[in-house]
Amino acid sequence: MKAIVIGATGSTGEFLVDELLADQDYTEVTIFVRRATGKQNPKLVEHIIDFSKIQNYKELIIGDVIFSCLGTTLKTAGSKENQIKIDFDIPVAFARLAKENGVSSFVLLSSYNASAESNVFYSQLKGRLEDTIAALHFEQYIIFKPGLLLRAGSDRLGEKIMVKVLNASNSIGLFKKFKPLPTSLLAEKLAKAPKILPKEISIIELEEVFSFGK
């Protein structure tokens, strides 16, 4: 299989690229990035692009499966408008071009509680993204909806606090399904998903993420 990855330099995407490169079932891994990653591998194809002009790179979006790990926080984006561009506009643009180019599978890293009907901005944004890509009718569409992610070296204070709270709660048997998920483990599951799931829509909910693929 030939894989395409957007969000390849993020906390999950970086691990995902390494997983795909190490997996013999993937013969080529194409990533689209703003700047060089420095990764060296015979299977890796790296395109440094202007993400405001995605249409210009349509002929490069070729493969069997596309993985979207794009995502940011409102604080990092600086405004809701910028977060919409990163979390919604870019993945949708890639999805549409991939579909036009005959890519059959799409794997989306979404979020727990994502819903277009949500009153929470982030959850609504992710829900709209899920629905928009679903409307493209990929042959295989896989949505992962994890909860809190455990990111190596994270500098997000709120995230660090929540990880500590949940770990303490988990240790006494509370909120087990909200156990923080290491991004390295999530990447393993993302890479495995297109190989073991059927050619249809599959949604991996929070409660299923840890046991998926075992």
Side-chain angles (χ1 to χ4, degrees):
M1 286 192 295
K2 294 184 178 181
I4 303 161
V5 181
I6 55 173
T9 58
S11 55
T12 302
E14 187 171 6
F15 281 116
L16 174 60
V17 171
D18 290 339
E19 283 292 327
L20 297 173
L21 291 173
D23 190 328
Q24 63 182 3
D25 290 327
Y26 292 95
T27 57
E28 184 175 284
V29 181
T30 299
I31 64 175
F32 292 86
V33 292
R34 289 187 172 85
R35 60 186 66 85
T37 63
K39 290 182 181 291
Q40 300 291 327
N41 190 291
K43 290 164 56 174
L44 181 65
V45 179
E46 181 175 282
H47 296 301
I48 301 172
I49 71 167
D50 180 348
F51 280 82
S52 67
K53 301 176 181 178
I54 297 169
Q55 181 69 41
N56 293 351
Y57 310 101
K58 178 179 178 178
E59 73 278 3
L60 303 177
I61 306 173
I62 302 294
D64 301 298
V65 54
I66 178 168
F67 295 87
S68 175
C69 297
L70 273 174
T72 188
T73 63
L74 183 57
K75 179 180 179 181
T76 300
S79 68
K80 288 184 177 180
E81 291 74 18
N82 283 338
Q83 188 168 16
I84 290 170
K85 288 178 183 177
I86 296 169
D87 279 41
F88 183 85
D89 293 345
I90 292 175
V92 168
F94 269 96
R96 286 175 175 156
L97 295 175
K99 177 64 176 180
E100 290 174 12
N101 285 347
V103 177
S104 62
S105 299
F106 196 103
V107 182
L108 175 65
L109 175 55
S110 186
S111 176
Y112 171 67
N113 267 349
S115 169
E117 306 304 317
S118 176
N119 292 322
V120 177
F121 171 70
Y122 182 77
S123 297
Q124 182 189 79
L125 184 61
K126 290 298 186 182
R128 285 177 52 216
L129 177 60
E130 290 180 7
D131 294 348
T132 302
I133 295 175
L136 296 175
H137 302 293
F138 280 89
E139 184 178 340
Q140 182 187 52
Y141 180 32
I142 302 166
I143 304 171
F144 275 80
K145 305 182 76 161
L148 185 65
L149 298 180
L150 189 57
R151 311 169 202 266
S154 174
D155 59 356
R156 301 177 185 179
L157 179 59
E159 193 172 271
K160 288 181 177 180
I161 292 172
M162 280 303 299
V163 167
K164 289 182 178 179
V165 169
L166 286 175
N167 282 337
S169 299
N170 294 161
S171 68
I172 57 174
L174 299 177
F175 306 119
K176 284 292 187 180
K177 74 175 183 178
F178 292 102
K179 181 180 178 181
L181 176 66
T183 51
S184 56
L185 180 58
L186 175 57
E188 292 178 20
K189 295 174 182 295
L190 289 168
K192 187 180 295 185
K195 300 191 294 180
I196 64 175
L197 289 173
K199 299 293 185 178
E200 58 186 37
I201 296 178
S202 299
I203 301 175
I204 313 303
E205 299 282 2
L206 172 66
E207 297 85 353
E208 306 168 292
V209 171
F210 273 96
S211 60
F212 175 77
K214 288 186 177 180

